[in-house]
């Protein structure tokens, strides 16, 4: 499979519970991004990694959110003490950053997302 | 940080007509502008992109134009078909260095009526 894979596709959890999502990027991609999308809105940036290093975190990413990419391959996004406002689609994307400015594609490849519902 | 505004929020056209979606951005350092198509319940998919050293790019029925001075870019779809119906998102990014983050507009729901 050459796409970005996200698991689970759907997650329903009770308020206050912890949840963890997984993203498997395209294998040769060294950059991995997490975005959140709510109904009627564009994806909002949460954080991104180059290899295993987390290079930027949005202010949207409160201290209840943590993301890891331990070996520079798959990534996990954990939300602790979930709140109803956390209900959204969590999208993962990957891309390849390199030195070839002529031929490589800057575009992201998105996964299908994990839809989180906090009840 | 970057702010991307997208208009209109909804657009309805008849099959065969053209559709135009416009975006403005705020950060003059942005130099990469992709467009994504998202069908209901599916992932956003890149349909076309443009870099700031190019004013226009075309791929079959889809074209994107960029005016860096005015900080706006547009998506043009000609000869629309019902399968073009989807939400379209524009985005902007200041490529280079360590920042490849995309900032997205809020999307345009395009409906193509048969």
């Amino acid at each position: 499979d050459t796409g970005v894979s996200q698991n689970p596709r759907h997650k329903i959890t009770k308020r206050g519970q912890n949840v963890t999502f997984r993203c498997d990027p395209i294998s040769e991609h060294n950059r991995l991004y997490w975005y959140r999308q709510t109904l009627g809105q564009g994806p909002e940036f949460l954080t991104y990694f180059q290899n295993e290093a987390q290079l930027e975190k949005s202010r949207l990413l409160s201290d209840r959110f943590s993301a890891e990419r331990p070996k520079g391959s798959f990534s996990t996004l954990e939300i602790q003490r979930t709140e109803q406002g956390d209900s959204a689609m969590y999208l993962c994307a990957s891309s390849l950053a390199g030195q070839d400015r002529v031929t490589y594609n800057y575009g992201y490849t998105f996964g299908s997302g994990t839809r989180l519902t906090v009840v | 940080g970057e702010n991307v505004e997208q208009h209109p929020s909804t657009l309805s056209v008849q099959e065969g007509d053209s559709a135009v979606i416009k975006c403005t951005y705020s950060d003059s350092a942005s130099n990469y502008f992709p467009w994504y198509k998202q069908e209901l319940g599916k992932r956003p998919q890149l349909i076309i992109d443009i870099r700031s050293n190019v004013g226009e790019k075309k791929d079959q029925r889809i074209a994107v134009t960029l005016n860096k001075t005015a900080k706006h870019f547009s998506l043009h779809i000609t000869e629309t078909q019902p399968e073009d119906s989807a939400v379209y998102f524009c985005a902007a990014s200041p490529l280079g260095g360590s920042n490849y983050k995309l900032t997205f507009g809020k999307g345009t729901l395009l409906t193509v009526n048969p």
Side-chain angles (χ1 to χ4, degrees):
Chain A
D1 183 1
T2 58
V4 177
S5 177
Q6 289 189 248
N7 289 289
R9 291 293 305 274
H10 304 274
K11 179 71 177 178
I12 299 174
T13 191
K14 291 183 178 179
R15 189 173 50 188
Q17 297 294 306
N18 299 344
V19 294
T20 300
F21 311 140
R22 176 177 170 128
C23 172
D24 288 90
I26 292 173
S27 58
E28 61 266 30
H29 284 183
N30 52 3
R31 286 181 180 257
L32 186 147
Y33 310 81
W34 285 99
Y35 280 76
R36 181 171 68 186
Q37 187 177 25
T38 53
L39 197 62
Q41 300 294 318
E44 296 177 296
F45 172 79
L46 294 178
T47 188
Y48 86 96
F49 294 83
Q50 174 147 336
N51 300 314
E52 66 276 9
Q54 188 173 16
L55 296 185
E56 186 174 345
K57 293 192 292 185
S58 164
R59 65 181 183 279
L60 293 174
L61 215 65
S62 75
D63 57 6
R64 296 185 298 107
F65 289 70
S66 62
E68 294 182 342
R69 195 183 183 197
K71 297 182 180 178
S73 57
F74 74 92
S75 175
T76 58
L77 178 68
E78 181 183 16
I79 309 174
Q80 297 182 326
R81 304 180 303 280
T82 51
E83 302 172 357
Q84 286 188 320
D86 297 331
S87 295
M89 174 72 83
Y90 289 84
L91 291 165
C92 175
S94 68
S95 71
L96 177 63
Q99 298 303 312
D100 182 348
R101 291 181 176 274
V102 175
T103 61
Y104 75 79
N105 181 6
Y106 292 99
Y108 290 6
T109 300
F110 279 94
S112 295
T114 294
R115 181 166 295 285
L116 173 66
T117 302
V118 181
V119 298
Chain B
E2 175 67 277
N3 182 48
V4 177
E5 299 284 342
Q6 183 171 348
H7 299 281
S9 57
T10 60
L11 179 59
S12 182
V13 300
Q14 289 299 120
E15 183 177 359
D17 288 351
S18 295
V20 180
I21 302 170
K22 298 182 179 182
C23 289
T24 60
Y25 62 98
S26 61
D27 188 348
S28 57
S30 287
N31 54 15
Y32 174 64
F33 308 93
W35 287 87
Y36 286 81
K37 176 183 180 182
Q38 187 174 30
E39 297 176 20
L40 188 63
K42 296 191 176 180
R43 70 187 76 189
Q45 291 193 302
L46 178 68
I47 56 171
I48 195 167
D49 56 11
I50 192 168
R51 295 178 61 189
S52 60
N53 57 349
V54 175
E56 183 173 359
K57 184 176 178 181
K58 192 172 182 180
D59 182 3
Q60 300 182 347
R61 297 186 295 108
I62 294 173
V64 57
T65 58
L66 171 65
N67 183 329
K68 248 188 107 59
T69 302
K71 296 202 190 83
H72 66 71
F73 56 112
S74 300
L75 178 71
H76 304 253
I77 306 174
T78 58
E79 300 171 22
T80 53
Q81 301 167 4
E83 52 265 38
D84 294 330
S85 297
V87 179
Y88 291 81
F89 294 99
C90 62
S93 172
L95 288 176
S98 62
N99 187 355
Y100 284 74
K101 179 180 72 177
L102 287 177
T103 300
F104 286 84
K106 292 188 175 182
T108 296
L109 173 62
L110 173 65
T111 303
V112 180
N113 302 301

